[in-house]
Amino acid sequence: MLSKIKVIPFGGVRENGKNMYAVEVNEQIFILDCGLKYPENELMGIDVVIPDWSYLKDHADQITGVFLTQGHADSIGALPYFLMDFRVPVFGSKLTVELAKLAVKNNKQVKKFNDFHVVDPNTEIDFDDVTVTFFSTTHTIPQTLGVVLHTDEGNIVYTGDFKFDQTARDDYKTDLSQLAKIGDEGVLLLMSDSAGAAITGASTREKDIAEYIRDTFENYDGRIVVGSVASNIMRVQQILDAAVATNRNVVLSGRDLEQIIDTAMDLGKIKVPDGVLISMKEANKLSPEEVVILVTGRMGEPLKALNTIANGDDSNIKLGEHDLVFITTTPSYAMETMEQKVTDALYRAGADVKFIAQDLNPSGHANQNDEQLMLNFMKPKYLMPIQGEYRLLDQHAILAEEVGIPRENVFLMNKGDVLTLKDGEFYLGDHVEVGNTMIDGIGVGDIGNIVLRDRRILSEDGIFVVVATIDRKNKKIVTRPQITSRGFVFVKTNRQLMKQSADLVEKVIQEDLDQKEFDWSHLKQNVREKLNRFLFNQTKRHPVILPVIMEINQHPKHKNHSKKKTGNKPQDQAKSQGSSRSRGKKHRQSKAN
């Protein structure tokens, strides 16, 4: 019986990061990676973005598990949130599983979850109609794996992040013979990394990167502050090796970094002699040329932490004119604007700044030659480029054509597209609604487009608050509207604008009170619309307008039949709308947004 196969990307296509793909074979769903991405500049105040897996909630009983390729945030960062909704097994290499446990442990709701399973390139897992196997790849973290789903229609191969580097050490090496074997078995669909599709030249070998870092340390006689991604184990090891070679001690700055290095050291994936790692207190007693400070930030991204240091807001690290800030990572596209701002702030703090990416190409992703080599190993019938913006997916499709894969067999997917197999042929079928889930503090998915729009407007045009009190029974305004503005105009120099605004609001409110039928929402909407039009005509700005309309009614209290005298005289009673009550001579009920 032929299998029914569907492939749905929940992230990782037409964007950077947030890798998550669902492969449905008959009645089973296999989740490949579960990552996050750092927010673009317009997502104001958002910490990270994770996939929207609402569609899966109706198919929760079909999910067999989550199969992780490596331990970077773009592959495991969303796992704690996913496990809040789906308590399913998680599979990955030993290091990946330990890093995933760290991520889960830091989430109160799922910190006791422990359904993890360690796999390696020799592991086979049978799931009725599907057998899952794994193959080793080269990336910037040890024990990175690709995933193969063996179906009766052919193999579906997910490469995860990869590149080819013949100088890679053990635990980083790609097993080329295993790739060839998978290709010989027949690959129906290849889901392949496209993040480096624009890289035309060869990526710098990790051996050469290690030498470059050591040379930098040797040729600088001051303190060195190194920015690196916490989970880039290969880079961290190179930094530690360079420090040892140049007789420097290393201070770890960042909770994520300390946890990850401790985990990697326990597994033997990072090796450092005793006494090299010291505290900041100990470092302050040493000469600057004896110290390296390794910096990462929350979730391992170093730029925000460096920005804090550059602005003088870090209580432990103060930059001086004899310090070198050495950034050994290539920031994601979403962080490019921040990179420029941080660089400027570092120079203003007096430090020297050096980017490894200005001299080398330290990418952990396949370049064009690597991608074509993977295609030649796998010889897939169909290709689904993943992990990259549209221009990178399209470039990957061009590379595939050059090695003989017809363009009609390459699918440039969008989130929620459903790639469906019918009669041995893939085609784009239905589309499911897939958006983004934004994480802000402890809030998960409670920030939507409307909130983001308001945040953007607040940052650009400020807020305009109107407060007024009305007597609806007598159809009159009790107090003249009062105006408060923040981030819009300087009130003291725009008193005439404030007066005209109050006059306009007073007129709008009175018009609504004079109507036969009174409606609160209609009143507030009228105030917003007419005030917004007036303010734009006067200033060409659109502030957030917040009308706060309070009501006072003259209804005497019911007599108190209690024998106990309270000494309180009857007072005006506010009309209750909800459960809230106010106290005082005049009771007012707020009617605000």
Side-chain angles (χ1 to χ4, degrees):
M1 180 179 176
L2 296 178
S3 296
K4 298 178 181 177
I5 298 176
K6 294 181 180 179
V7 182
I8 307 173
F10 288 85
V13 289
R14 308 192 186 198
E15 63 182 351
N16 292 288
K18 197 157 64 70
N19 299 310
M20 180 178 170
Y21 313 90
V23 179
E24 183 177 339
V25 183
N26 296 330
E27 299 301 317
Q28 299 180 103
I29 297 177
F30 302 83
I31 304 298
L32 307 178
D33 279 336
C34 192
L36 57 77
K37 73 172 181 177
Y38 297 104
E40 286 85 0
N41 300 318
E42 63 266 23
L43 297 183
M44 298 177 177
I46 301 301
D47 294 328
V48 294
V49 183
I50 64 174
D52 168 21
W53 44 68
S54 303
Y55 166 81
L56 292 173
K57 292 182 179 179
D58 294 330
H59 306 273
D61 58 336
Q62 297 176 242
I63 301 175
T64 61
V66 180
F67 300 84
L68 303 174
T69 60
Q70 43 100 358
H72 287 167
D74 60 356
S75 289
I76 69 169
L79 184 63
Y81 306 102
F82 186 82
L83 295 176
M84 289 165 60
D85 293 327
F86 311 99
R87 297 300 178 99
V88 297
V90 178
F91 302 86
S93 67
K94 179 64 176 176
L95 178 61
T96 300
V97 163
E98 291 303 318
L99 295 178
K101 286 181 179 179
L102 278 181
V104 170
K105 181 181 177 182
N106 292 329
N107 186 297
K108 293 182 180 179
Q109 296 189 45
V110 293
K111 64 180 182 180
K112 293 184 179 180
F113 177 87
N114 197 33
D115 194 2
F116 293 98
H117 303 269
V118 175
V119 299
D120 60 41
N122 298 315
T123 301
E124 289 189 6
I125 310 174
D126 290 323
F127 293 94
D128 297 330
D129 300 331
V130 178
T131 300
V132 181
T133 63
F134 308 87
F135 59 94
S136 59
T137 60
T138 300
H139 192 44
T140 58
I141 186 170
Q143 298 182 339
T144 301
L145 298 174
V147 182
V148 185
L149 305 181
H150 301 262
T151 77
D152 55 13
E153 296 279 0
N155 293 338
I156 297 175
V157 179
Y158 173 56
T159 66
D161 294 341
F162 80 93
K163 67 176 182 178
F164 291 108
D165 185 345
Q166 303 307 312
T167 67
R169 302 179 182 179
D170 293 339
D171 273 343
Y172 293 92
K173 287 184 177 179
T174 300
D175 188 338
L176 301 180
S177 63
Q178 195 175 18
L179 294 184
K181 182 180 177 182
I182 295 169
D184 290 341
E185 290 175 1
V187 175
L188 174 65
L189 174 67
L190 175 64
M191 303 165 63
S192 185
D193 178 10
S194 305
I199 302 174
T200 56
S203 299
T204 306
R205 300 182 305 173
E206 292 299 333
K207 177 177 179 292
D208 297 329
I209 292 174
E211 292 176 358
Y212 177 85
I213 294 173
R214 186 174 64 249
D215 289 344
T216 299
F217 282 22
E218 286 177 347
N219 294 318
Y220 198 83
D221 57 4
R223 186 176 64 166
I224 302 177
V225 178
V226 182
S228 179
V229 174
S231 56
N232 189 335
I233 303 297
M234 182 181 291
R235 193 73 70 246
V236 170
Q237 182 67 69
Q238 291 165 343
I239 293 164
L240 293 171
D241 289 345
V244 172
T246 56
N247 298 315
R248 294 175 181 264
N249 292 97
V250 179
V251 179
L252 303 181
S253 177
R255 182 169 174 267
D256 283 2
L257 178 63
E258 292 177 5
Q259 289 183 330
I260 290 171
I261 287 185
D262 285 345
T263 301
M265 289 177 66
D266 290 342
L267 296 177
K269 304 307 176 188
I270 284 182
K271 298 177 182 179
V272 55
D274 293 339
V276 173
L277 299 178
I278 61 174
S279 68
M280 184 63 71
K281 185 176 180 180
E282 293 171 311
N284 290 334
K285 299 176 182 178
L286 299 176
S287 300
E289 65 271 13
E290 298 178 288
V291 177
V292 171
I293 302 175
L294 184 53
V295 174
T296 66
R298 185 169 179 262
M299 298 189 176
E301 174 59 57
L303 286 180
K304 291 184 178 180
L306 289 174
N307 191 52
T308 300
I309 294 170
N311 291 325
D313 297 328
D314 190 294
S315 59
N316 295 316
I317 306 172
K318 302 298 180 184
L319 291 178
E321 61 182 11
H322 299 297
D323 291 334
L324 170 67
V325 178
F326 185 27
I327 301 175
T328 62
T329 182
T330 304
S332 65
Y333 296 108
M335 304 293 284
E336 283 181 342
T337 300
M338 170 165 276
E339 176 190 349
Q340 299 304 318
K341 291 181 179 179
V342 171
T343 302
D344 186 69
L346 290 170
Y347 276 113
R348 281 190 279 109
D352 294 327
V353 183
K354 185 173 184 177
F355 281 88
I356 193 172
Q358 291 177 344
D359 297 321
L360 305 177
N361 178 21
S363 176
H365 298 274
N367 59 31
Q368 293 185 353
N369 288 334
D370 291 344
E371 288 174 348
Q372 289 185 326
L373 181 57
M374 180 63 79
L375 288 166
N376 283 327
F377 269 120
M378 294 297 171
K379 303 183 286 289
K381 182 176 181 180
Y382 294 97
L383 171 66
M384 177 179 160
I386 54 173
Q387 295 170 245
E389 295 175 338
Y390 182 86
R391 60 187 177 83
L392 298 174
L393 305 184
D394 186 64
Q395 181 61 46
H396 201 165
I398 294 172
L399 296 172
E401 283 188 272
E402 292 177 355
V403 297
I405 298 178
R407 183 68 185 226
E408 60 268 23
N409 286 10
V410 180
F411 293 93
L412 305 184
M413 305 281 281
N414 204 347
K415 294 190 296 289
D417 285 347
V418 181
L419 190 61
T420 305
L421 185 73
K422 183 177 181 181
D423 298 328
E425 303 290 332
F426 270 118
Y427 68 97
L428 278 178
D430 299 330
H431 180 89
V432 299
E433 194 62 36
V434 173
N436 292 320
T437 300
M438 284 159 278
I439 309 296
D440 186 5
I442 62 172
V444 180
D446 57 350
I447 303 296
N449 291 330
I450 294 176
V451 174
L452 289 175
R453 181 201 64 193
D454 287 345
R455 287 186 178 184
R456 186 179 66 254
I457 294 172
L458 283 169
S459 73
E460 295 172 351
D461 294 330
I463 186 170
F464 201 84
V465 183
V466 180
V467 182
T469 305
I470 64 173
D471 181 348
R472 188 153 51 115
K473 180 180 179 182
N474 295 312
K475 294 183 179 294
K476 67 178 183 178
I477 299 173
V478 178
T479 61
R480 177 175 167 78
Q482 298 177 344
I483 307 293
T484 302
S485 173
R486 291 292 184 272
F488 174 56
V489 293
F490 186 49
V491 175
K492 289 185 178 180
T493 59
N494 289 273
R495 295 188 184 279
Q496 185 63 24
L497 179 66
M498 299 295 121
K499 180 182 181 303
Q500 291 173 346
S501 298
D503 291 342
L504 175 63
V505 172
E506 190 171 15
K507 179 182 178 182
V508 172
I509 293 176
Q510 191 60 58
E511 287 175 353
D512 270 72
L513 287 173
D514 291 339
Q515 297 294 321
K516 185 175 182 180
E517 297 293 333
F518 179 85
D519 182 82
W520 280 106
S521 60
H522 185 266
L523 169 61
K524 290 186 291 182
Q525 188 63 27
N526 267 357
V527 171
R528 283 196 204 95
E529 289 180 356
K530 294 184 179 180
L531 189 54
N532 181 63
R533 192 178 304 119
F534 169 74
L535 292 175
F536 181 76
N537 288 334
Q538 297 296 316
T539 66
K540 303 303 179 186
R541 303 175 196 168
H542 286 294
V544 172
I545 297 173
L546 181 63
V548 181
I549 313 297
M550 297 183 289
E551 178 186 11
I552 182 170
N553 288 311
Q554 307 294 326
H555 292 295
K557 271 187 177 179
H558 295 293
K559 291 183 179 180
N560 190 346
H561 296 287
S562 173
K563 292 182 180 181
K564 185 177 178 180
K565 295 182 179 181
T566 63
N568 292 335
K569 295 180 180 181
Q571 297 176 344
D572 292 336
Q573 174 70 30
K575 184 175 181 179
S576 175
Q577 298 192 23
S579 60
S580 62
R581 293 180 180 272
S582 57
R583 296 180 180 179
K585 286 187 176 181
K586 290 185 178 180
H587 299 263
R588 295 173 178 175
Q589 175 67 30
S590 174
K591 290 287 183 180
N593 275 0

